[in-house]
Amino acid sequence: MSVTVRVPAKVNVQLAVGAARPDGFHDLASVFLAVGLYDEVTVAPSPSGLRVTCAGPDAAEVPLDGSNLAARAAEALAARYGRRADVHLHIAKDIPVAGGMAGGSADCAGALLACDALWGTGASRAELLDLCAELGSDVPFSLVGGAALGTGRGERLRELEVGGVFHWVFAVAERGLSTPAVFRVFDRLCEGRRVPEPVASQDVLDALAKGDPDALAASVSNDLQPAALSLFPELAGALAAGRAAGALAAMVSGSGPTTAFLVRDAESAARTAQALRRSGTCRSVRMASGPAPGAALV
Ligand code: C5P
């Protein structure tokens, strides 16, 4: 017997970051949009104990030990229900690794939901969301999907209305970026000035509600972008190539280094993707639209 869960990637259409808190995290106003690039997590009983395998183009970069967020999710749910995490977790990986698209968080939420179904724990949605929040700031959103405003570390969610489909092109960079490293550079770039409280942009929320790509393009923002660019200056080349190809907006996705290009429709997505591929500024190019549904059994 096995259970498979499909989980989407995300892009932040707004990422407002406050000053570092005493616990080292940063308060955020994070407007998440789930997009249709998916990882699939399959769990099956494993008499020999917890085991993780991964397949996909980036599989070699995924840790298969206890540090894997999917393994940690299985351990956390097992501990909560007083049982052993004796499962084989297989991750079919399509979301870029260390790319700022919440791929690790997706696997975490997927493993949690899959183990819950396999073990018949019957955990409530609220319990699963609490566990997600303990496991990582972006994990609750991977469970919920759609669009949501995340506050606190990003883990406290308010679901948002979305009035249409948004088309995106993503340029995957040659290497990954560490999220803590990007936040550290953010802190350094803020030294000596007061960092404002992060607040959600009404323009972003209105553009999402209307399903209006031009309005969204005019209001997207990412406070981590300067930090990501300072660690990875070559990203400027991908951003410029996407803009030159006619993208409505070009930005770093989350902590990067994936760059995200909002385009008007599927046809512009194909054109922009082609131009980015030819530009030689990235390793690969993906197209996806959002909002996409959250973690779900297949
Ligand atoms: O919550 P998560 O484990 O995904 O966070 C990874 C790292 O990103 C944290 O250890 C922290 O350095 C940084 N982070 C942060 N503020 C947030 C979310 C993450 O500083 N709101």
Side-chain angles (χ1 to χ4, degrees):
M1 204 204 18
S2 70
V3 174
T4 298
V5 171
R6 193 173 84 140
V7 199
K10 60 86 183 166
V11 61
N12 304 80
V13 291
Q14 184 193 1
L15 186 50
V17 183
R21 312 191 309 201
D23 66 1
F25 285 91
H26 296 71
D27 277 325
L28 306 178
S30 170
V31 182
F32 295 105
L33 179 70
V35 295
L37 289 180
Y38 300 93
D39 280 359
E40 282 191 358
V41 181
T42 299
V43 299
S46 163
S48 57
L50 182 60
R51 200 156 73 82
V52 182
T53 54
C54 182
D58 292 347
E61 294 157 53
V62 176
L64 301 179
D65 59 11
S67 71
N68 186 295
L69 272 175
R72 289 182 41 210
E75 297 276 20
L77 188 71
R80 178 74 59 102
Y81 285 89
R83 55 170 300 139
R84 296 227 313 257
D86 45 1
V87 283
H88 172 203
L89 286 162
H90 180 73
I91 303 168
K93 189 130 209 58
D94 196 36
I95 304 174
V97 176
M101 298 191 75
S105 300
D107 302 343
C108 186
L112 200 62
L113 198 61
C115 288
D116 176 61
L118 183 74
W119 297 335
T121 49
S124 68
R125 190 77 173 166
E127 268 178 283
L128 289 178
L129 281 169
D130 278 351
L131 275 171
C132 286
E134 282 168 26
L135 287 157
S137 307
D138 285 349
V139 181
F141 180 71
S142 296
L143 189 72
V144 168
L149 169 62
T151 53
R153 288 184 284 125
E155 88 286 15
R156 286 209 302 267
L157 297 180
R158 170 158 75 84
E159 291 184 47
L160 298 172
E161 288 299 319
V162 184
V165 176
F166 293 96
H167 295 267
W168 295 86
V169 179
F170 297 97
V172 182
E174 294 292 344
R175 58 183 167 89
L177 269 181
S178 138
T179 301
V182 175
F183 274 102
R184 278 197 298 276
V185 174
F186 172 86
D187 291 337
R188 212 161 61 223
L189 295 175
C190 290
E191 265 168 29
R193 65 181 176 87
R194 206 188 72 79
V195 182
E197 289 293 312
V199 282
S201 148
Q202 194 56 48
D203 289 346
V204 168
L205 303 185
D206 290 346
L208 280 180
K210 278 198 210 121
D212 180 341
D214 292 293
L216 188 62
S219 54
V220 291
S221 68
N222 180 358
D223 287 352
L224 290 182
Q225 184 157 318
L229 280 168
S230 102
L231 283 168
F232 203 150
E234 304 92 308
L235 295 181
L239 290 172
R243 279 191 205 103
L248 302 175
M251 69 194 303
V252 169
S253 176
S255 58
T258 304
T259 43
F261 304 92
L262 179 60
V263 295
R264 183 155 292 125
D265 49 32
E267 208 171 75
S268 338
R271 239 185 358 256
T272 304
Q274 177 81 319
L276 277 165
R277 274 188 204 103
R278 287 191 180 139
S279 72
T281 58
C282 52
R283 180 158 61 95
S284 62
V285 178
R286 308 297 305 274
M287 290 179 279
S289 59
L297 300 177
V298 241

